[in-house]
Amino acid sequence: MIELGANRYGKRAIRLVKVVREPGGHRVRDLTVDVALEGDFTAAHAAGDNALVVATDTMKNTVYALAAEHLTEAVEAFGTILATHFLAIPQVARATVALREHRWTPIPSAGGPAPDAFVRAGGATRTASVAATRDSTVVEAGLEDLVVMKTAKSAFAGFPRDRLTTLAEAHDRIMATRVMATWRHVGPAVDWDASHARISTTLLEVFAAHESESVQHSIWLMANAMLERHAEIDEVRMALPNLHHWPVDLAPFGLENRGEIFVATSEPHGLIEATVRRRGS
Amino acid sequence: MIELGANRYGKRAIRLVKVVREPGGHRVRDLTVDVALEGDFTAAHAAGDNALVVATDTMKNTVYALAAEHLTEAVEAFGTILATHFLAIPQVARATVALREHRWTPIPSAGGPAPDAFVRAGGATRTASVAATRDSTVVEAGLEDLVVMKTAKSAFAGFPRDRLTTLAEAHDRIMATRVMATWRHVGPAVDWDASHARISTTLLEVFAAHESESVQHSIWLMANAMLERHAEIDEVRMALPNLHHWPVDLAPFGLENRGEIFVATSEPHGLIEATVRRRGS
Amino acid sequence: MIELGANRYGKRAIRLVKVVREPGGHRVRDLTVDVALEGDFTAAHAAGDNALVVATDTMKNTVYALAAEHLTEAVEAFGTILATHFLAIPQVARATVALREHRWTPIPSAGGPAPDAFVRAGGATRTASVAATRDSTVVEAGLEDLVVMKTAKSAFAGFPRDRLTTLAEAHDRIMATRVMATWRHVGPAVDWDASHARISTTLLEVFAAHESESVQHSIWLMANAMLERHAEIDEVRMALPNLHHWPVDLAPFGLENRGEIFVATSEPHGLIEATVRRRGS
Amino acid sequence: MIELGANRYGKRAIRLVKVVREPGGHRVRDLTVDVALEGDFTAAHAAGDNALVVATDTMKNTVYALAAEHLTEAVEAFGTILATHFLAIPQVARATVALREHRWTPIPSAGGPAPDAFVRAGGATRTASVAATRDSTVVEAGLEDLVVMKTAKSAFAGFPRDRLTTLAEAHDRIMATRVMATWRHVGPAVDWDASHARISTTLLEVFAAHESESVQHSIWLMANAMLERHAEIDEVRMALPNLHHWPVDLAPFGLENRGEIFVATSEPHGLIEATVRRRGS
């Protein structure tokens, strides 16, 4: 005689970003949520009968719908709301919701924190590369894994359309990227640390302040400002993945998505690479 | 004076699975495709003018549409078709397409290779765990990272529907998973290697042969057969992620998707875990 | 006729930690260095003649030895010193050194920044888990990927020795770990965010301040303080990998290592897990 | 009152390779072992008393020493030997040993399976890149993540020695690498699949058969054979990390290491890159 022992099922890695749009500025909540249910699921296993099997796709929808309505407080509170929701399903005996929150902090700007540009806590690694021959030594400084997001002032429209184009024009989208940038020094800098700090600050300031028409446009504006304001460098290279945040369609649930609820994705992603330099360099 | 140097852009990590459904059985083509374009994109950078910027989303669509029509031969041939397509766009001077193919091989069955079940080349790791106290020694054998796929005989229907349910019933879907399975031995086996081989074979045979109503159902059937056929074990534990393969909507491109073109995803994924055992064990 | 084209070789992923021990406190420099050389290496390829092939193991040694002597300034400066060193080898035509610096910041303490405890920039993720049944709801809060290091007040001695023991007793070692901690709430907290901040602060304060005899001892002291100072929780669980930092033997290079130069490793690592709770909880 | 709850500790990710050198050829056993102990460890936590704390470093040593003596059978059997060993320590109440075995299979050669060259199961991904301009289309085929090992016929000696050189000369070492290779086609091949299979076979055959003086030398010999035997290509590029396998010093345990027990490492690693081509191509 064979029997079913402990069992559970659910949805893992539900990636959710909520942009809370308040008068004083935006706030970003970025969660990864796992849901697991235990209960009366013997028939699903032993008889292939799905009558009690809530689809894991529905669990995902639930996370997005309840986030639209209720995600304003701490993850412990949102987790409790979710667990309570799933426990209201009769065949569920235990609902376990695990949440991880990825922190974003506003990018400081001249007039106080920018209300609509953010940097993900942690991550940015300072980089340097020195390539020496007997004729010359080229020093490139830079950074990688600087994850930033604009929740306003980002558009992508006016692009060509053909039979294979389905993307809608976007006049107010989220732009998120993981910046890889290097800048080439004209010569040995007086103070590498100070130079790196100044140039990184310019990059972040322009990222927060500018009106973006595309990732290409953003690269150009950031690199231009870096070259114009910092005479010690003569070339900037950037590679920016477009970490797409797609708006979730809440209409089937009777809810409207006012640019608040997004699914964060990593595959596939756009990748935009460019070099900007002083003419003649 | 500042100018634009080398630059390119495109779409990375386009995940594409094509199931070629032939009379003698199915074949699986599993690709990751990167597209990069170079050409006349100065205005996009310097003026924020997107008139010549083919959307990277369109590149993704192109890969799926041309895969539906043309992906039957080697990746070198398909890459050439894609590169030629993009080069037909006037502002493109160079199109680079990089492709990686992940191999799947048919799971052998009693009557020759199964026409509709596959194992991804490589990966499966044999595992063992020994937990000893002064009273007992428990040996669990198993495997992990065994990636398998059924291109037929997999359904998911009859599940509950509520306000938050949008998933359509599926009577013929792809099921793909990365098997983590362990089985507990009743006592010291005579020949561990032979036992491991026999039990793994049972797992694969049942995976290929059965009609699945859900992942839960599949776990039950596989674990049942493992216990029934192999007296040396008394409990089976499995954790199966549901690695969703979503059909691509080809209708906007004037094409029909006859269960052939899928996007392979990893986030979010269902996760189904269960223990099946001899009663009283 | 076949010929050798572009070629280079070197050492990647050289993991280097330097603890700069100054009167006012310690500073941590944490680098990953890649070295690549180009030059006259045709005979090595075409004739299997290694007479000009500087061993990549020697490159690794060079990075440690020069770090001991010269790593006090910016990575750009240290990279230049390394590249210049390699370029002094006659058969080398180009030396490229790429460096990534992982930032550590002092853990704040009551009396100003602690001089000998650090947290790695970025990374820490806030976690929560809610498990609800019809009888109870258990909320666990926590954090993961909080990487911290003590450069003083950490020992490991007095452990058993047998035929297989080769580890030397350490009375002043580096302790580094990636904290995974969860704490169970007695009931619904008044303010989850404030509670999380307070408890995390206690964890970090005790990490920085205590004299550690082992990782087990550190877990006990941190968990004890968390329970004693925060009545809203009744159980703490921690899993702490011991991210070993081994002192580099500089004696073959005629240098002394005064607790300054370490190789950071990740495999294998100790893992210490424990639950600490209020009696009766 | 605060008390210690469930707790355990041990060593994770112990990477062990054993080369069993038998008259008919070598066999490779490649394991990752985790050890965890439970027992009387309260004083270690609550009093910082290590008198009963077996060092995790000793656990690592134990795995290597017992592998030298006993690792000939299945991982279940070796795990039982390890668990029994740890359970003989009085303060240990439960020893749990988890093992993962990574399979290597002999590389087939003309005269049957090579006795001393192996390919790791799974992994190799076929690659292709097509770069098209209006003037030309360049097709490169290749593969990546092909992990191979030579347990004989690999040396590295005769390299320069200076103050910073500590590496001993090796006349019989293990060479392991993860092959990344691409080959450029002269024109559209008649049969891409057949061409890819033929060229991959040449690469593996030469890897297994040749006497290697260095990784550079191996690249040259493999690339040479690929160009000589396959007229459809005119350039080969390879990047080969040197995945170092260091012999474990068993002398402190009263054992001799006759080229059998190695620790597999990934950081740091040598990286050798070269292009080999037909002259004039």
Side-chain angles (χ1 to χ4, degrees):
Chain A
M1 289 292 293
I2 292 168
E3 67 183 0
L4 183 66
N7 67 90
R8 62 177 194 167
Y9 81 109
K11 201 76 161 185
R12 294 270 176 118
I14 303 169
R15 294 283 296 113
L16 159 68
V17 169
K18 181 167 188 173
V19 178
V20 185
R21 298 173 181 275
E22 293 171 337
H26 297 172
R27 275 190 307 135
V28 169
R29 306 296 303 274
D30 183 347
L31 307 186
T32 301
V33 182
D34 297 341
V35 176
L37 303 184
E38 294 161 81
D40 181 11
F41 300 114
T42 303
H45 289 84
D49 175 352
N50 296 325
L52 300 183
V53 182
V54 176
T56 64
D57 190 77
T58 301
M59 299 179 198
K60 178 202 68 181
N61 287 346
T62 303
V63 169
Y64 286 113
L66 296 195
E69 295 173 330
H70 299 296
L71 177 54
T72 51
E73 288 177 80
V75 281
E76 291 89 345
F78 182 53
T80 302
I81 289 168
L82 285 168
T84 303
H85 174 94
F86 289 118
L87 203 60
I89 302 169
Q91 65 270 34
V92 175
R94 179 191 306 271
T96 303
V97 180
L99 311 97
R100 276 174 288 154
E101 176 153 21
H102 316 290
R103 284 171 302 149
W104 294 81
T105 46
I107 296 176
S109 71
D116 54 17
F118 301 85
V119 59
R120 185 160 160 170
T125 297
R126 177 173 169 183
T127 62
S129 170
V130 182
T133 67
R134 290 194 170 71
D135 297 324
S136 70
T137 296
V138 176
V139 177
E140 292 193 320
L143 45 79
E144 62 185 26
D145 291 334
L146 175 73
V147 182
V148 289
M149 181 192 290
K150 286 171 75 71
T151 57
K153 294 184 293 203
S154 171
F156 186 57
F159 49 87
R161 305 196 75 86
D162 67 5
R163 176 180 77 104
L164 294 168
T165 303
T166 55
L167 185 72
E169 304 225 323
H171 298 281
D172 186 14
R173 65 170 184 174
I174 283 190
M175 175 199 285
T177 188
R178 171 177 287 110
V179 176
M180 194 292 298
T182 63
W183 44 90
R184 190 174 65 190
H185 280 271
V186 177
V190 175
D191 182 336
W192 296 109
D193 288 342
S195 170
H196 194 278
R198 281 195 309 267
I199 295 171
S200 301
T201 297
T202 295
L203 188 159
L204 277 175
E205 276 181 5
V206 176
F207 178 82
H210 79 295
E211 302 266 351
S212 169
E213 301 298 335
S214 68
V215 177
Q216 283 90 338
H217 188 220
S218 296
I219 288 180
W220 175 263
L221 292 180
M222 289 188 283
N224 246 274
M226 291 159 74
L227 289 164
E228 283 178 355
R229 298 187 199 171
H230 305 286
E232 69 261 40
I233 61 175
D234 66 358
E235 184 177 290
V236 174
R237 284 187 301 118
M238 288 198 196
L240 266 56
N242 195 343
L243 303 174
H244 304 292
H245 284 64
W246 302 113
V248 177
D249 180 9
L250 302 175
F253 321 137
L255 299 171
E256 188 183 353
N257 192 350
R258 295 194 179 84
E260 285 207 315
I261 304 293
F262 298 86
V263 53
T265 66
S266 57
E267 289 189 342
H269 59 266
L271 182 68
I272 291 84
E273 305 167 76
T275 302
V276 182
R277 63 190 176 210
R278 297 189 195 287
R279 197 154 291 176
S281 70
Chain B
M1 288 293 290
I2 291 168
E3 68 183 359
L4 183 66
N7 66 91
R8 62 178 194 166
Y9 82 109
K11 200 76 161 186
R12 293 270 176 120
I14 304 170
R15 293 283 297 113
L16 158 69
V17 170
K18 179 166 189 174
V19 179
V20 184
R21 299 174 181 274
E22 294 170 337
H26 297 172
R27 277 191 306 137
V28 170
R29 306 296 303 274
D30 183 346
L31 307 186
T32 301
V33 182
D34 298 341
V35 176
L37 302 185
E38 294 162 80
D40 180 11
F41 300 114
T42 303
H45 289 84
D49 175 352
N50 296 325
L52 299 183
V53 182
V54 175
T56 64
D57 190 77
T58 301
M59 298 180 200
K60 178 201 70 182
N61 288 346
T62 303
V63 170
Y64 286 113
L66 296 195
E69 295 174 330
H70 300 295
L71 177 53
T72 50
E73 288 178 77
V75 282
E76 291 88 345
F78 182 53
T80 302
I81 289 168
L82 284 167
T84 304
H85 174 95
F86 290 118
L87 203 60
I89 302 169
Q91 65 270 35
V92 175
R94 180 191 305 269
T96 303
V97 180
L99 312 96
R100 276 174 287 154
E101 175 153 22
H102 316 291
R103 285 171 302 148
W104 294 81
T105 48
I107 296 176
S109 71
D116 55 16
F118 300 84
V119 57
R120 185 160 160 171
T125 298
R126 177 173 169 183
T127 63
S129 169
V130 182
T133 67
R134 290 195 170 69
D135 298 324
S136 71
T137 297
V138 177
V139 176
E140 292 193 320
L143 45 78
E144 61 186 26
D145 291 334
L146 175 73
V147 182
V148 289
M149 180 193 290
K150 285 170 77 71
T151 57
K153 296 182 293 198
S154 172
F156 186 57
F159 49 86
R161 305 195 74 87
D162 66 8
R163 175 179 78 103
L164 294 168
T165 303
T166 53
L167 185 71
E169 304 224 325
H171 298 281
D172 187 13
R173 66 170 183 174
I174 282 191
M175 176 199 284
T177 188
R178 173 177 284 111
V179 176
M180 194 292 298
T182 64
W183 43 90
R184 189 174 65 190
H185 280 271
V186 177
V190 175
D191 183 335
W192 296 109
D193 287 343
S195 171
H196 194 278
R198 281 195 308 267
I199 294 172
S200 301
T201 298
T202 295
L203 188 159
L204 277 175
E205 277 181 5
V206 177
F207 178 82
H210 80 294
E211 301 267 349
S212 170
E213 301 297 335
S214 68
V215 177
Q216 283 91 336
H217 189 220
S218 296
I219 289 180
W220 174 262
L221 293 180
M222 288 188 283
N224 245 273
M226 291 158 75
L227 289 164
E228 282 177 356
R229 297 185 198 171
H230 306 286
E232 69 261 39
I233 60 174
D234 66 359
E235 185 177 290
V236 174
R237 285 188 298 119
M238 287 197 196
L240 266 56
N242 195 343
L243 303 175
H244 304 293
H245 285 64
W246 303 113
V248 176
D249 181 9
L250 302 175
F253 321 138
L255 299 172
E256 187 183 353
N257 191 350
R258 295 193 179 87
E260 285 207 315
I261 303 293
F262 299 86
V263 52
T265 66
S266 58
E267 289 190 341
H269 60 265
L271 183 68
I272 292 84
E273 304 167 77
T275 303
V276 181
R277 63 190 176 210
R278 297 189 196 286
R279 196 153 292 175
S281 70
Chain C
M1 287 294 292
I2 293 168
E3 67 183 359
L4 184 66
N7 67 92
R8 63 176 192 168
Y9 81 109
K11 200 76 162 186
R12 293 271 175 118
I14 303 171
R15 292 284 295 113
L16 159 69
V17 169
K18 180 166 188 175
V19 178
V20 184
R21 299 173 182 275
E22 293 170 338
H26 298 172
R27 277 190 306 137
V28 170
R29 306 296 302 274
D30 183 348
L31 308 185
T32 301
V33 182
D34 297 342
V35 176
L37 302 185
E38 294 161 81
D40 179 12
F41 300 115
T42 303
H45 289 84
D49 176 352
N50 296 325
L52 299 184
V53 182
V54 176
T56 64
D57 189 77
T58 300
M59 298 179 198
K60 178 201 70 184
N61 288 345
T62 303
V63 169
Y64 287 113
L66 296 195
E69 295 173 329
H70 299 296
L71 177 54
T72 51
E73 289 176 77
V75 282
E76 290 89 346
F78 182 52
T80 302
I81 289 168
L82 285 168
T84 303
H85 174 95
F86 290 118
L87 203 61
I89 301 168
Q91 64 270 35
V92 174
R94 179 190 305 270
T96 303
V97 180
L99 311 97
R100 276 175 287 153
E101 176 153 20
H102 316 291
R103 283 170 304 146
W104 293 82
T105 47
I107 296 175
S109 71
D116 54 17
F118 300 84
V119 58
R120 186 162 159 170
T125 298
R126 178 173 168 182
T127 63
S129 170
V130 182
T133 66
R134 292 197 168 68
D135 298 323
S136 71
T137 296
V138 176
V139 177
E140 292 193 319
L143 45 79
E144 62 186 25
D145 291 334
L146 175 72
V147 182
V148 289
M149 181 192 290
K150 285 171 78 70
T151 57
K153 295 183 294 201
S154 172
F156 186 58
F159 49 87
R161 304 196 76 87
D162 67 7
R163 175 179 79 103
L164 294 168
T165 304
T166 54
L167 185 70
E169 304 224 323
H171 298 282
D172 186 15
R173 64 171 184 174
I174 282 191
M175 177 199 283
T177 188
R178 172 176 284 110
V179 177
M180 194 292 298
T182 64
W183 43 90
R184 190 174 66 191
H185 280 270
V186 177
V190 175
D191 182 335
W192 296 110
D193 288 343
S195 171
H196 195 277
R198 280 194 310 266
I199 294 172
S200 301
T201 298
T202 294
L203 188 158
L204 277 175
E205 276 180 5
V206 176
F207 178 82
H210 81 293
E211 300 267 350
S212 169
E213 301 297 335
S214 68
V215 177
Q216 284 89 339
H217 189 221
S218 296
I219 288 180
W220 174 263
L221 292 179
M222 288 188 284
N224 245 273
M226 291 159 75
L227 289 164
E228 282 177 356
R229 299 186 198 170
H230 305 287
E232 69 262 38
I233 62 174
D234 66 358
E235 186 177 291
V236 174
R237 283 188 301 117
M238 288 197 195
L240 266 58
N242 195 342
L243 303 175
H244 304 293
H245 284 64
W246 303 113
V248 177
D249 181 10
L250 302 175
F253 320 137
L255 299 171
E256 188 183 354
N257 191 349
R258 296 194 178 86
E260 286 206 315
I261 303 293
F262 298 86
V263 53
T265 66
S266 58
E267 289 191 341
H269 59 266
L271 182 67
I272 291 84
E273 305 168 76
T275 303
V276 181
R277 63 190 177 210
R278 297 190 196 286
R279 197 154 290 176
S281 71
Chain D
M1 288 293 292
I2 292 168
E3 67 183 0
L4 183 65
N7 67 92
R8 62 177 193 166
Y9 82 109
K11 200 77 161 186
R12 294 269 177 119
I14 303 170
R15 293 282 296 112
L16 159 69
V17 169
K18 181 166 187 174
V19 178
V20 185
R21 298 174 182 275
E22 294 170 338
H26 298 172
R27 277 190 306 137
V28 170
R29 306 296 302 276
D30 183 347
L31 307 185
T32 300
V33 182
D34 297 342
V35 176
L37 302 184
E38 295 162 78
D40 180 12
F41 300 114
T42 303
H45 289 83
D49 175 352
N50 296 325
L52 299 184
V53 182
V54 175
T56 63
D57 189 77
T58 301
M59 298 179 200
K60 178 202 69 183
N61 287 345
T62 303
V63 169
Y64 286 112
L66 296 195
E69 294 174 331
H70 299 295
L71 177 53
T72 50
E73 288 176 78
V75 282
E76 291 88 345
F78 182 52
T80 302
I81 288 169
L82 284 169
T84 303
H85 174 94
F86 290 118
L87 203 61
I89 301 168
Q91 64 271 31
V92 174
R94 180 190 304 270
T96 303
V97 180
L99 311 98
R100 276 174 288 154
E101 176 154 20
H102 316 290
R103 285 172 303 147
W104 294 81
T105 47
I107 297 176
S109 70
D116 54 18
F118 301 84
V119 58
R120 187 162 159 169
T125 298
R126 177 173 168 183
T127 62
S129 170
V130 182
T133 66
R134 289 194 171 69
D135 298 323
S136 72
T137 296
V138 176
V139 177
E140 292 193 320
L143 45 79
E144 63 186 24
D145 291 334
L146 175 73
V147 182
V148 289
M149 181 191 292
K150 285 170 77 69
T151 58
K153 294 184 294 201
S154 172
F156 186 58
F159 49 86
R161 305 196 74 87
D162 66 7
R163 176 179 79 103
L164 294 168
T165 304
T166 55
L167 185 71
E169 305 224 322
H171 299 281
D172 186 14
R173 65 171 185 175
I174 284 190
M175 176 199 284
T177 188
R178 172 177 286 109
V179 176
M180 194 293 297
T182 64
W183 44 91
R184 190 173 66 191
H185 279 272
V186 177
V190 176
D191 183 335
W192 296 109
D193 288 342
S195 171
H196 195 278
R198 280 195 311 266
I199 294 172
S200 301
T201 298
T202 294
L203 189 159
L204 278 174
E205 276 181 4
V206 176
F207 178 81
H210 80 295
E211 301 267 350
S212 169
E213 301 297 335
S214 67
V215 177
Q216 283 90 337
H217 189 220
S218 296
I219 289 179
W220 175 263
L221 292 180
M222 289 189 284
N224 245 274
M226 292 159 74
L227 289 163
E228 283 178 355
R229 298 186 199 171
H230 305 287
E232 69 261 41
I233 60 175
D234 66 359
E235 185 177 291
V236 174
R237 284 187 300 118
M238 289 198 194
L240 265 57
N242 195 343
L243 303 174
H244 304 293
H245 284 65
W246 302 113
V248 177
D249 180 8
L250 301 175
F253 321 138
L255 299 172
E256 189 184 351
N257 192 350
R258 295 195 179 85
E260 287 207 315
I261 304 293
F262 298 86
V263 52
T265 66
S266 57
E267 291 189 339
H269 59 266
L271 183 67
I272 291 82
E273 304 168 77
T275 302
V276 181
R277 62 190 176 209
R278 297 189 197 286
R279 197 154 291 174
S281 71

